[in-house]
């Protein structure tokens, strides 16, 4: 009987071998490594993807995967056709539109040669704890910059772009010392340098500005020149494109409170006067703002309520945006150290600041408060020092109700000016007295006490982790899922790294590990106030002898098991129905013949 059965199996094997010998190119997986020099894309109707791609849904899905530290992200459901254009669009979407996920680095894209992109593989630069700490600082800085701007419908896009431009320049300084030393850190090329380290180079300034403009609904993209070794922004406001270069509006060495506007909303013709090269985007043609009033200001514009204020450095006045002059600003900045007794610097070096309620400006020797109600100025601070009377105030900012004055003999600072000639003092502005009427007592009913519910404690979270062993080919990529006691998925990951990690509260969970052509494995784990280690492994379907391949030897083993009625292991149940029988042998034969 056994000989007849074996002969039948061998005949089936020979007959079926032809049917599984070919595969079309649609089924051949390939890997594409992203271009590190990928050009920045201008915003478009679908960000450069095929029109069938739902970009907003894709972005939300990627964000969820990044939040859960998934390394191999399945994107097959989005039907992203594998093409250079789509891969470029996907690269730019993650890099330009999801900048807050600065811990993500794209490793490669997986897809079929003539088909769709199936997955994007990423790695993470920081641990979850490190990223969380940096993200808190990032979000706090972004909120500070956009305070009073985001959601303020009284401001035009031009005004929003102007205020964000000034606040970034105020916040950040060019990483000049590292530039001179040839030691610029990688973070200085990113918004991370602006928002957290507060030092950056041109690419960091430009990416941060693009991100912030996007938060308030203003389109922009990055522009660069190899000849200039420089990058900046092209911004779309007031129905036209304009060049904006924050880096060149924040010259070195840094002077606190100094903000230039020579490179804000310029046409390509005007921009070329300073940016002399022929290898960059010249889309901006509108000359509307080429000679605008803000170019006469070397201080930041300040927002109080819905009104914007600024210093006209050329005419030495404090002004309200669109409403005229508020007061004159006098002062002469001593130039004796450079030119001799009696000389002063031409120009006005006053800086403007606000605490959100009042305006404060500097002159050569003092800080003044301007009362917006009475339209009068009051001296509130005059720094005392032993530097000598040839020192004047060239830098001034107000941070956390602290006045910071930077004094020097020249408007051109050097690498030690701030360290040696900065004076700080608390802001002490007496509030305007108000007459408060004495309240008359009124009878009140004794309130009925109400029970205050005790808040539920937040459950502690522990780690579930372990090694992943795949007993098959060199491709170790598996899908691993964390399920609750009802079978609902809590988290999932596709990885080829040989290990996994999930986080969960106390309870009993199921770890499910799967891979195409492999037997799905499940493991039950229980968390009880401590981390849990659960190693997992996968076997190739039909690999009964666990050699790493399914072949005729496994068929013979399975025949023996069916004959004896004693399965060697769970792998023998090829069809997964809970029993080992002749149908499993036939299925294994088909697998082996492929």
């Amino acid at each position: 009987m056994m000989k007849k059965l074996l002969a039948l199996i061998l005949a089936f094997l020979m007959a079926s071998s032809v049917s599984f010998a070919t595969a079309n190119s649609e089924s051949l997986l390939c890997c594409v490594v992203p271009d590190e020099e990928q050009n920045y894309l201008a915003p478009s109707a679908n960000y450069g993807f095929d029109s069938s791609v739902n970009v907003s849904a894709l972005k939300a899905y990627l964000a969820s995967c990044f939040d859960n530290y998934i390394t191999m992200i399945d994107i097959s459901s989005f039907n992203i056709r594998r093409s250079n254009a789509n891969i470029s669009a996907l690269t730019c979407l993650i890099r330009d539109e999801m900048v807050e996920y600065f811990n993500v680095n794209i490793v490669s894209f997986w897809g079929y040669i003539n088909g769709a992109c199936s997955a994007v593989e990423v790695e993470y630069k920081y641990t979850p704890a490190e990223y969380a700490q940096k993200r808190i600082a990032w979000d706090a800085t972004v909120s500070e910059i956009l305070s009073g701007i985001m959601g303020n419908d009284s401001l035009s896009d031009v005004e929003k772009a102007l205020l964000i431009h000034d606040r970034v320049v105020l916040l950040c300084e060019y990483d000049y010392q590292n530039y001179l030393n040839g030691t610029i850190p990688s973070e200085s090329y990113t918004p991370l340098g602006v928002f957290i380290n507060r030092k950056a180079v041109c690419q960091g300034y430009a990416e941060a500005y693009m991100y912030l403009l996007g938060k308030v609904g203003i389109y922009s993209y990055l522009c660069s020149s190899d000849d200039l070794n420089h990058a900046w922004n092209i911004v779309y406001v007031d129905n036209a494109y304009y060049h904006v270069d924050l880096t060149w509006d924040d010259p070195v060495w840094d002077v606190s409170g100094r903000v230039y506007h020579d490179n804000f909303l310029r046409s390509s013709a005007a921009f070329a006067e300073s940016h002399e090269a022929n290898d960059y985007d010249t889309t901006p043609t509108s000359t509307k703002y080429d000679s605008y009033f803000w170019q006469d200001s070397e201080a930041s514009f300040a927002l109080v309520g819905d009104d914007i204020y600024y210093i006209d450095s050329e005419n030495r006045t404090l002004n309200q945006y669109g409403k005229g002059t508020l007061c004159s600003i006098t002062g002469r900045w001593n130039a004796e150290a450079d030119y001799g007794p009696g000389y002063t610097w031409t120009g006005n070096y006053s800086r403007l600041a606000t605490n959100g309620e009042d305006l404060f400006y500097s002159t050569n020797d003092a800080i003044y408060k301007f009362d917006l109600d009475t339209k009068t100025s009051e001296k509130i601070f005059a720094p005392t020092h032993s530097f000598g009377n040839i020192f004047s105030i060239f830098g001034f900012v107000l941070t956390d109700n602290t006045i910071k004055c930077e004094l020097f003999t020249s408007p051109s600072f050097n690498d030690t000016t701030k360290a040696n000639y900065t004076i700080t003092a608390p802001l002490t502005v007496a509030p305007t007295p108000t007459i408060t009427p004495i309240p008359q007592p009124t009878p009140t009913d004794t309130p009925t006490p109400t029970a205050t519910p005790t808040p539920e404690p937040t459950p502690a979270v522990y780690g579930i982790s372990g090694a992943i062993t795949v007993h098959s080919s060199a491709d170790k990529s598996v899908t691993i899922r964390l399920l609750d006691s009802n079978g609902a998925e809590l988290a999932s990951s596709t990885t080829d790294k040989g290990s996994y990690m999930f986080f969960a509260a106390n309870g009993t969970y199921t770890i499910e590990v799967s891979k195409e052509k492999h037997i799905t494995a499940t493991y039950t784990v229980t968390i009880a106030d401590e981390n849990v280690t659960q190693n997992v492994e996968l076997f190739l379907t039909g690999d009964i002898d666990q050699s790493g391949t399914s072949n005729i030897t496994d068929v013979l083993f399975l025949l023996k098991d069916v004959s004896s009625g004693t399965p060697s292991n769970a792998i023998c149940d090829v069809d997964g129905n809970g029993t080992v029988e002749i149908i499993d042998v036939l299925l294994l034969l088909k697998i082996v013949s492929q």
Side-chain angles (χ1 to χ4, degrees):
M1 177 68 183
M2 180 63 68
K3 289 181 179 179
K4 290 182 180 179
L5 184 58
L6 181 56
L8 177 64
I9 292 170
L10 291 174
F12 179 84
L13 177 61
M14 290 186 290
S16 62
S17 62
V18 177
S19 350
F20 300 96
T22 62
N24 74 44
S25 60
E26 190 81 12
S27 65
L28 297 178
L29 275 172
C30 64
C31 171
V32 178
V33 178
D35 181 3
E36 292 184 1
E37 300 298 325
Q38 172 64 50
N39 291 331
Y40 293 89
L41 298 180
S44 61
N46 213 35
Y47 211 81
F49 287 104
D50 296 340
S51 59
S52 61
V53 179
N54 186 333
V55 178
S56 60
L58 173 61
K59 186 176 177 182
Y61 170 71
L62 289 172
S64 175
C65 293
F66 296 158
D67 287 336
N68 288 285
Y69 267 62
I70 296 172
T71 55
M72 186 67 78
I73 301 171
D74 181 1
I75 58 172
S76 57
S77 63
F78 290 94
N79 298 315
I80 302 172
R81 197 74 185 167
R82 186 183 171 275
S83 68
N84 289 337
N86 279 339
I87 289 173
S88 295
L90 190 54
T91 300
C92 292
L93 176 69
I94 295 172
R95 184 190 58 195
D96 304 347
E97 289 287 294
M98 306 183 72
V99 184
E100 63 268 32
Y101 290 100
F102 49 81
N103 62 326
V104 174
N105 182 50
I106 304 171
V107 176
S108 58
F109 299 104
W110 290 87
Y112 296 101
I113 290 177
N114 294 320
C117 292
S118 60
V120 54
E121 182 181 5
V122 301
E123 61 186 8
Y124 296 90
K125 302 174 187 176
Y126 308 106
T127 66
E130 290 170 337
Y131 172 65
Q133 185 176 21
K134 289 179 181 291
R135 181 63 184 271
I136 289 170
W138 170 293
D139 290 342
T141 301
V142 170
S143 296
E144 175 188 342
I145 293 173
L146 297 180
S147 175
I149 300 174
M150 180 178 282
N152 188 341
D153 294 335
S154 69
L155 299 175
S156 68
D157 282 352
V158 168
E159 291 167 340
K160 291 177 181 178
L162 173 63
L163 289 167
I164 294 173
H165 166 281
D166 286 19
R167 290 181 180 184
V168 172
V169 172
L170 272 181
L171 174 82
C172 188
E173 64 178 271
Y174 192 84
D175 197 356
Y176 195 45
Q177 190 63 65
N178 278 319
Y179 169 79
L180 294 176
N181 296 339
T183 56
I184 300 173
S186 60
E187 290 184 347
S188 289
Y189 292 94
T190 72
L192 203 65
V194 175
F195 298 147
I196 296 180
N197 303 332
R198 307 203 172 189
K199 287 188 177 182
V201 293
C202 59
Q203 185 175 333
Y205 276 89
E207 289 187 3
Y209 191 50
M210 181 173 68
Y211 171 75
L212 293 165
L213 291 178
K215 299 285 279 186
V216 298
I218 298 175
Y219 284 138
S220 68
Y221 60 97
L222 268 67
C223 181
S224 63
S225 165
D226 290 337
D227 290 348
L228 297 173
N229 191 27
H230 187 45
W232 60 92
N233 301 88
I234 291 180
V235 179
Y236 186 79
V237 292
D238 205 10
N239 298 313
Y241 286 99
Y242 298 93
H243 292 280
V244 178
D245 189 344
L246 276 72
T247 309
W248 285 19
D249 280 344
D250 192 12
V252 294
W253 293 85
D254 186 71
V255 177
S256 294
R258 180 181 65 187
V259 180
Y260 287 175
H261 300 87
D262 297 330
N263 299 286
F264 180 70
L265 299 188
R266 304 304 296 273
S267 69
S268 294
F271 203 66
E273 294 174 6
S274 56
H275 296 66
E276 298 181 27
N278 297 313
D279 66 336
Y280 60 80
D281 187 341
T282 57
T283 297
T285 57
S286 173
T287 60
K288 180 175 180 177
Y289 299 110
D290 278 352
S291 301
Y292 226 57
F293 70 90
W294 46 59
Q295 292 170 27
D296 291 331
S297 178
E298 295 183 5
S300 64
F301 282 55
L303 178 67
V304 179
D306 293 335
D307 295 313
I308 301 173
Y309 302 88
Y310 67 97
I311 289 175
D312 184 330
S313 304
E314 183 73 19
N315 295 304
R316 300 173 181 264
T317 56
L318 175 64
N319 302 272
Q320 184 173 351
Y321 191 110
K323 297 183 179 179
T325 299
L326 298 175
C327 71
S328 297
I329 299 177
T330 59
R332 296 292 176 184
W333 281 257
N334 197 308
E336 181 177 331
D338 289 77
Y339 296 102
Y343 281 89
T344 59
W345 293 100
T346 59
N348 181 281
Y349 302 96
S350 294
R351 314 300 178 197
L352 183 64
T354 180
N355 61 357
E357 298 177 358
D358 299 300
L359 292 175
F360 302 87
Y361 64 86
S362 60
T363 63
N364 60 301
D365 59 0
I367 306 300
Y368 289 80
K369 172 194 171 185
F370 183 80
D371 190 311
L372 290 170
D373 293 325
T374 64
K375 302 296 188 289
T376 58
S377 295
E378 172 193 3
K379 182 190 292 188
I380 61 168
F381 177 67
T384 56
H385 55 84
S386 58
F387 306 150
N389 59 8
I390 63 173
F391 279 75
S392 301
I393 301 173
F394 286 97
F396 160 61
V397 289
L398 183 63
T399 306
D400 297 327
N401 282 326
T402 298
I403 294 170
K404 183 171 80 169
C405 296
E406 295 164 357
L407 292 86
F408 203 46
T409 59
S410 159
S412 299
F413 282 20
N414 60 40
D415 58 335
T416 62
T417 302
K418 286 188 176 185
N420 295 332
Y421 304 112
T422 296
I423 295 176
T424 61
L427 176 65
T428 53
V429 180
T432 303
T434 58
I435 300 174
T436 304
I438 300 174
Q440 297 297 316
T442 56
T444 57
D445 296 328
T446 303
T448 303
T450 58
T452 303
T454 302
E456 293 293 329
T458 302
V461 175
Y462 302 93
I464 307 171
S465 62
I468 301 172
T469 303
V470 180
H471 299 279
S472 61
S473 64
D475 177 13
K476 303 301 181 183
S477 176
V478 304
T479 297
I480 184 164
R481 301 198 302 154
L482 177 67
L483 311 177
D484 66 13
S485 57
N486 296 317
E489 181 181 299
L490 301 176
S492 67
S493 175
T494 300
T495 179
D496 63 356
K497 302 302 183 184
S499 63
Y500 74 95
M501 174 172 282
F502 293 123
F503 296 93
N506 286 339
T508 300
Y509 303 90
T510 298
I511 301 293
E512 179 189 277
V513 193
S514 61
K515 179 179 175 67
E516 187 179 3
K517 297 182 180 180
H518 289 66
I519 297 175
T520 298
T522 59
Y523 300 84
T524 300
V525 296
T526 299
I527 298 178
D529 297 327
E530 62 181 358
N531 296 329
V532 174
T533 300
Q534 176 63 64
N535 297 328
V536 300
E537 56 184 345
L538 275 182
F539 291 95
L540 193 65
T541 301
D543 183 20
I544 296 167
D545 63 356
Q546 300 178 15
S547 65
T549 61
S550 298
N551 52 37
I552 193 61
T553 302
D554 297 297
V555 176
L556 296 176
F557 269 114
L558 184 54
L559 277 171
K560 182 179 178 182
D561 288 347
V562 170
S563 177
S564 66
T566 307
S568 300
N569 51 48
I571 304 172
C572 295
D573 183 15
V574 179
D575 64 358
N577 69 352
T579 60
V580 178
E581 50 197 345
I582 194 63
I583 190 66
D584 294 300
V585 179
L586 297 176
L587 288 173
L588 182 54
L589 273 169
K590 185 174 181 180
I591 291 170
V592 169
S593 67
Q594 291 179 345

